[in-house]
Amino acid sequence: MTKGFNGKLGWADVTPKAHWINRRGLIAGAGAMMVAGTAGAKIPTVPSAFSTDEAPNTFEEITTYNNFYEFGTAKEDPARNSGAFKPDPWSIEIDGLVDKPGSYDLADILGGVTLEERIYRFRCVEAWSMVIPWVGFELATLLNRVGVQPSAKYVAFETIVRPEEMPGQRRELLEWPYREGLRLDEAMHPLTIMATGLYGEAMPNQNGAPIRLVVPWKYGFKSIKSIVRISLMDRMPPTTWNMLNAREYGFYSNVNPNVDHPRWSQASERRVGGGLFAKRIDTPMFNGYGEQVAGLYTGQDLTKDY
Ligand SMILES: Nc1nc2c(c(=O)[nH]1)N[C@H]1C(S)=C(S)[C@@H](COP(=O)(O)O)O[C@H]1N2
Ligand SMILES: [Mo]
């Protein structure tokens, strides 16, 4: 076994590289933990009641059609340009209004969580969508461990800045680091996860290795990748796309078929992989997660305060 920095276990130790065996087997078998420890094992996960039973996109689709501007703006750029990115070792700085601020080694973080398989719909603001079998844990678990202080109202996230490994960061495509944020109640919601893999494998670089946010009821840009900093704050943090164009990209950016992007409709979407002649599908409010999350926005006019 190799050791990460500080003599601690490194990322590679806790996430064995493996082949995807069979999603149904993983879920329907005698428990996902059975899969662990066998040759070609997947990351051990437990299934989740929050998973959709819609057919997932293929590994190929999920890992070759990406938005990750740190590696370029074209959909194929992240897969093509992220080979030199090193997601191990990794640590996350957790600061601001928390009881136990500090730099947390990723292996330590993972030591205190249960990894689940969460099969979520994923809807980009550009009106394409996928179904992705994430591996991850609830962000609330991590926040509870570091102790959120009563004055905290928002959570801010930052992506790593490493222009030598991220060719997109050598250009001023966006203001680096990429930043995102959630209201504290959104961050603590059980649907909100920190994802460390997909299809039972460690997170591919192009999808935000080694750890990224996934908030399935919001447009994809809220699900920030390759996170190195989490800050608890008492006011709404600045976020990348909102800073660039607040009219087009609100802080909340909940999936909403009734609020069009100024330049295109959000009422429907193209499910990636459906083929050239695939019919567009209707986009549901909150990306279909309204039953779970609508209560977070009681009394908030989402057509104005989007
Ligand atoms: N750091 C960072 N995070 C990011 C982005 C990015 O460019 N940089 N793109 C966002 C957008 S617009 C989308 S749709 C999703 C895409 O995630 P995927 O490539 O895993 O499908 O990542 C989001 N997270
Ligand atoms: Mo997106």
Side-chain angles (χ1 to χ4, degrees), residues 86-209:
K86 292 186 194 62
D88 178 28
W90 196 269
S91 58
I92 301 180
E93 184 77 27
I94 306 182
D95 60 15
L97 303 168
V98 291
D99 295 334
K100 290 175 268 184
S103 175
Y104 288 83
D105 190 87
L106 182 58
D108 295 339
I109 292 173
L110 293 176
V113 303
T114 304
L115 291 179
E116 293 181 33
E117 182 181 65
R118 295 275 182 112
I119 307 168
Y120 281 166
R121 289 177 293 279
F122 189 88
R123 170 58 156 86
C124 175
V125 74
E126 298 162 340
W128 55 265
S129 67
M130 295 200 204
V131 175
I132 305 181
W134 301 110
V135 173
F137 60 92
E138 293 182 6
L139 174 59
T141 309
L142 178 59
L143 295 180
N144 287 332
R145 256 170 87 193
V146 297
V148 177
Q149 297 183 347
S151 52
K153 300 282 178 284
Y154 293 90
V155 189
F157 305 84
E158 285 180 20
T159 295
I160 197 165
V161 178
R162 213 185 260 174
E164 44 320 337
E165 294 176 17
M166 300 176 127
Q169 284 184 340
R170 293 175 217 149
R171 301 192 279 150
E172 284 172 42
L173 297 172
L174 297 172
E175 195 187 305
W176 314 112
Y178 192 102
R179 295 167 202 272
E180 259 309 330
L182 296 172
R183 209 169 57 193
L184 185 60
D185 57 344
E186 300 176 322
M188 297 299 273
H189 193 280
L191 280 175
T192 302
I193 59 168
M194 295 291 278
T196 58
L198 57 87
Y199 265 114
E201 298 197 19
M203 191 66 78
N205 286 349
Q206 58 268 38
N207 294 90

Side-chain angles (χ1 to χ4, degrees), residues 42-56:
K42 312 298 296 179
I43 299 170
T45 59
V46 296
S48 168
F50 290 122
S51 289
T52 174
D53 55 13
E54 287 166 79

Side-chain angles (χ1 to χ4, degrees), residues 4-300:
F5 74 118
N6 300 333
K8 290 173 186 162
L9 290 182
W11 170 245
D13 300 304
V14 290
T15 57
K17 187 80 184 157
H19 311 279
W20 178 245
I21 303 163
N22 177 320
R23 184 177 74 90
R24 304 259 160 232
L26 188 65
I27 296 165
M33 300 303 289
M34 292 286 290
V35 181
T38 59
K42 312 298 296 179
I43 299 170
T45 59
V46 296
S48 168
F50 290 122
S51 289
T52 174
D53 55 13
E54 287 166 79
N57 281 85
T58 64
F59 185 84
E60 169 83 9
E61 287 159 356
I62 295 167
T63 58
T64 58
Y65 190 89
N66 299 100
N67 275 333
F68 199 169
Y69 278 24
E70 283 82 344
F71 295 108
T73 55
K75 294 288 180 285
E76 59 275 15
D77 283 345
R80 202 190 273 154
N81 299 334
S82 62
F85 182 68
K86 292 186 194 62
D88 178 28
W90 196 269
S91 58
I92 301 180
E93 184 77 27
I94 306 182
D95 60 15
L97 303 168
V98 291
D99 295 334
K100 290 175 268 184
S103 175
Y104 288 83
D105 190 87
L106 182 58
D108 295 339
I109 292 173
L110 293 176
V113 303
T114 304
L115 291 179
E116 293 181 33
E117 182 181 65
R118 295 275 182 112
I119 307 168
Y120 281 166
R121 289 177 293 279
F122 189 88
R123 170 58 156 86
C124 175
V125 74
E126 298 162 340
W128 55 265
S129 67
M130 295 200 204
V131 175
I132 305 181
W134 301 110
V135 173
F137 60 92
E138 293 182 6
L139 174 59
T141 309
L142 178 59
L143 295 180
N144 287 332
R145 256 170 87 193
V146 297
V148 177
Q149 297 183 347
S151 52
K153 300 282 178 284
Y154 293 90
V155 189
F157 305 84
E158 285 180 20
T159 295
I160 197 165
V161 178
R162 213 185 260 174
E164 44 320 337
E165 294 176 17
M166 300 176 127
Q169 284 184 340
R170 293 175 217 149
R171 301 192 279 150
E172 284 172 42
L173 297 172
L174 297 172
E175 195 187 305
W176 314 112
Y178 192 102
R179 295 167 202 272
E180 259 309 330
L182 296 172
R183 209 169 57 193
L184 185 60
D185 57 344
E186 300 176 322
M188 297 299 273
H189 193 280
L191 280 175
T192 302
I193 59 168
M194 295 291 278
T196 58
L198 57 87
Y199 265 114
E201 298 197 19
M203 191 66 78
N205 286 349
Q206 58 268 38
N207 294 90
I211 184 163
R212 56 97 53 94
L213 184 71
V214 177
V215 193
W217 72 93
K218 292 178 178 286
Y219 291 121
F221 68 85
K222 298 293 292 182
S223 292
I224 181 174
K225 296 175 168 182
S226 304
I227 293 168
V228 288
R229 187 171 178 202
I230 300 176
S231 308
L232 280 288
M233 305 172 70
D234 57 6
R235 71 195 94 175
M236 189 181 278
T239 57
T240 294
W241 286 99
N242 182 252
M243 287 189 288
L244 208 66
N245 191 334
R247 202 171 69 88
E248 297 191 353
Y249 309 104
F251 175 82
Y252 290 98
S253 282
N254 296 313
V255 175
N256 189 340
N258 310 311
V259 175
D260 286 338
H261 187 281
R263 292 181 279 133
W264 59 84
S265 165
Q266 295 292 26
S268 70
E269 65 200 49
R270 174 180 64 89
R271 182 63 54 84
V272 171
L276 204 52
F277 304 103
K279 265 201 314 207
R280 293 178 71 86
I281 55 178
D282 288 344
T283 294
M285 186 68 200
F286 295 117
N287 203 23
Y289 297 97
E291 206 179 302
Q292 291 95 332
V293 304
L296 296 175
Y297 308 101
T298 309
Q300 185 172 340

